[in-house]
Amino acid sequence: MVEQRYAGYAVIDSRSRGRQHAEAPPKARSEFQRDRDRIIHSTAFRRLEYKTQVFVNHEGDLFRTRLTHSIEVAQIARSVARALCLNDDLVEAIALAHDLGHTPFGHAGQEALDACMKDHGGFEHNLQSLRTVDLLEERYGAFDGLNLMYETREGILKHCPPAKALQLGDLGRRFLDERRPSLEAQLTNLADEIAYNNHDVDDGLRSGLIDESMLEGVSLYARHAAAAREEFPAISGRRLVSETVRRMIGALVEDLLEESGRRIREAGVATLADVHVAPPLIGFSPAMQAENRELKTFLRENLYRHYQVLRMTNKARRIIGELFDAFTATPRLLPPQYQQMADRDACDPVNAVAAPAVRARAVADYIAGMTDRYAIKEHRRLFGVGEID
Ligand code: MG
């Protein structure tokens, strides 16, 4: 009954490839509602509150965190999903889980940990999000991880290099065969982009690292700021910024809806199987794509590479690198749970050769799970002079 509101090309419970460990169907929810609920109750989800994207957590209470970012992604994805008759529970689950594998300190943290792991398979936050829901959460008696539905996991794994895809079996197959994921996965990916571009404009202005006059050269911003001023001639300050960003999100969402609806109709997709072999069907119109690219370039050059942001990322890189080196050199400094993970194969003569990689992965799991403030605190505990605890 619930499934009637979904199109034939949407993912629904009865067309799903299910869970890795068989479970009885939920009584009063759909399978994807159950996934969303499991994600919300996970430890990694709660930690998103103290992880950041661009600004470090303690820099201000008003900036986005990964938690509020994930909620914004879910909001945007859900509204588009409803309009396109896609599975809104699935997009919500993917959106809330998509950043679970992020390290502390945003992209600087990810790059630093990837560099530390270069001899041991690297570190990639997308794969780590999947690893978190598949393996690292310890909440259920019957299995490790959250045992999520195949399509939720497919949506979390946005990209994947071929070598990793081979190791992932069924879930990695589509990267080798160049098959498309569900429309729900495609949509959540773009909702992520709409959310972060716009909230980075908002947070960037709030922080003072960029100002409105700089954004006058970005057509998407300039156009909507002008429209806001025309409708409300007396508007200024934060209210003008909010009115402009609101309109930008609205324009991007409307364009996405229109363009995706057109592509879906023209491709004539009727089933989920059609979606997998069709070209990407969720996307912006070429004109909006160009404006969106212009905005991204602006943010990269003026905000993400701002010297004050770079100072912070430089420090973050050092913290992550030093934590990694200390823990891999002396695994006994790790909390017991991670020591066990680090030692897992060391006592097994057959796998002993893999021990350094196993140890490094356990350290990476520990560091990736840290919040910004926990990483700073842990660094101080290990290296702080004049502080022994
Ligand atoms: Mg994101």
Side-chain angles (χ1 to χ4, degrees), residues 53 66 69-70 73 98-99 102 158 192 196:
Q53 307 247 106
R66 290 218 177 262
H69 162 69
S70 301
V73 176
H98 85 284
D99 270 356
H102 260 288
K158 279 191 285 196
D192 184 21
Y196 68 67

Side-chain angles (χ1 to χ4, degrees), residues 175-237:
F175 297 98
L176 305 169
D177 299 348
E178 290 186 29
R179 288 158 63 89
R180 242 56 63 194
S182 70
L183 295 181
E184 285 85 351
Q186 296 180 37
L187 163 58
T188 314
N189 195 6
L190 284 169
D192 184 21
E193 195 166 324
I194 295 176
Y196 68 67
N197 286 330
N198 284 283
H199 64 51
D200 287 353
V201 167
D202 191 37
D203 283 351
L205 288 168
R206 193 187 295 278
S207 70
L209 299 186
I210 54 174
D211 64 43
E212 285 171 69
S213 67
M214 295 162 79
L215 276 157
E216 287 300 330
V218 178
S219 58
L220 191 64
Y221 187 92
R223 188 152 45 85
H224 291 290
R229 274 194 222 98
E230 198 182 313
E231 192 176 344
F232 307 105
I235 203 168
S236 65

